[in-house]
Amino acid sequence: MELADFFAMDKLSQHDEEQLLESAMQLQQMMMLYEAGIREIKTKLDILSDESRISGKPNPIDSIKSRIKTPRSIIGKLKRRGYPISLQSMMENLNDIGGIRVICPFIEDIYTVADMLMRQDDLTLIDRKDYIENPKPNGYRSLHLILEVPIFLSDRTQPVHIELQLRTIAMDFWASLEHQLRYKSDVKVPAHISDDLKACADVIAATDEEMQRIAKELHVL
């Protein structure tokens, strides 16, 4: 039974409906794994944040957000990439079903948090994309890590992949508004607006650098 069948129950026979219910349970179990993966990593991040607070050191984490992709969003991404629409395909081909976004005060904090996580031996780094050192053409900046985290179930250990995005407050401000302006607009974004958004990203990046310089001069970092 494929994921797409979840949106066509009224067209299914009784046998297919039984298969669908079984697939629905399997999907629910898989979503539970990703939720567990998010909880595992968020717990680690919370501990690192608490450690900084208790030690009196500046906290490298301002806030943490998380999300699970919806089945409809998963199907759309599988279709766009030309992958089969199935639960197995979802597990094998998508690394961002479960996602965590860590917002940091300063640029250096991003790499501090990433390094602290990578020192934990139950996490495995699957992929790393540094859009801070190498911004996307539209001006997007962030550090992306795909982490494999083991989920300990009653009868087995199941590894899952979780996408971790690390940004400064300023990077998150730009990315959130850029997404809202570009993808929630009823009109196609003209080229000069894309140039304006890129210019805003560059100004924000320069501000990030300047705020970090000031923090170092004041011995905050």
Side-chain angles (χ1 to χ4, degrees):
M1 185 67 64
E2 296 184 344
L3 285 175
D5 292 331
F6 283 103
F7 302 102
M9 274 201 73
D10 59 329
K11 303 175 183 177
L12 301 177
S13 67
Q14 182 176 352
H15 174 71
D16 286 340
E17 284 188 13
E18 290 174 356
Q19 284 189 303
L20 178 61
L21 290 174
E22 182 179 352
S23 295
M25 291 181 64
Q26 292 174 348
L27 178 62
Q28 187 175 27
Q29 290 169 353
M30 286 188 178
M31 291 298 101
M32 180 273 291
L33 290 174
Y34 287 105
E35 289 170 358
I38 286 174
R39 285 201 303 271
E40 288 281 346
I41 295 177
K42 283 185 70 176
T43 298
K44 293 176 182 295
L45 292 166
D46 287 338
I47 291 170
L48 293 173
S49 182
D50 290 343
E51 181 186 14
S52 296
R53 175 176 53 80
I54 292 171
S55 67
K57 297 177 182 178
N59 195 336
I61 299 173
D62 180 77
S63 61
I64 303 170
K65 306 173 184 177
S66 64
R67 63 102 183 97
I68 298 282
K69 276 187 179 295
T70 64
R72 197 175 292 275
S73 177
I74 291 169
I75 290 170
K77 190 159 192 177
L78 289 172
K79 283 182 176 179
R80 288 194 302 274
R81 296 191 172 187
Y83 293 125
I85 311 299
S86 68
L87 298 177
Q88 187 68 27
S89 177
M90 176 187 84
M91 292 282 288
E92 292 177 353
N93 296 309
L94 299 184
N95 287 321
D96 62 345
I97 295 171
I100 299 174
R101 184 174 300 154
V102 179
I103 312 301
C104 302
F106 301 102
I107 299 170
E108 282 191 6
D109 293 330
I110 291 172
Y111 297 102
T112 297
V113 173
D115 289 344
M116 287 191 298
L117 280 178
M118 288 298 91
R119 287 197 291 270
Q120 303 201 15
D121 55 15
D122 59 339
L123 293 179
T124 302
L125 179 64
I126 301 301
D127 192 25
R128 174 186 173 109
K129 292 181 180 177
D130 192 337
Y131 297 116
I132 301 172
E133 290 292 329
N134 301 288
K136 289 186 176 182
N138 69 342
Y140 175 85
R141 290 168 170 82
S142 184
L143 178 65
H144 288 198
L145 305 178
I146 304 298
L147 302 176
E148 184 175 272
V149 54
I151 305 302
F152 298 96
L153 302 173
S154 60
D155 59 345
R156 70 187 191 281
T157 300
Q158 176 67 54
V160 297
H161 291 178
I162 300 296
E163 181 186 56
L164 183 66
Q165 298 179 356
L166 299 108
R167 306 173 179 171
T168 63
I169 298 168
M171 292 172 192
D172 190 58
F173 159 77
W174 180 89
S176 298
L177 290 185
E178 193 268 352
H179 183 270
Q180 181 174 331
L181 293 170
R182 184 178 296 276
Y183 297 103
K184 296 189 177 181
S185 174
D186 293 332
V187 298
K188 183 179 179 180
V189 176
H192 74 276
I193 295 295
S194 293
D195 292 341
D196 291 343
L197 291 170
K198 170 66 165 58
C200 287
D202 292 341
V203 169
I204 288 172
T207 303
D208 248 344
E209 294 281 357
E210 185 64 9
M211 293 298 286
Q212 181 165 274
R213 183 196 64 77
I214 293 170
K216 286 185 175 181
E217 186 170 335
L218 295 175
H219 304 291
V220 174
L221 282 177

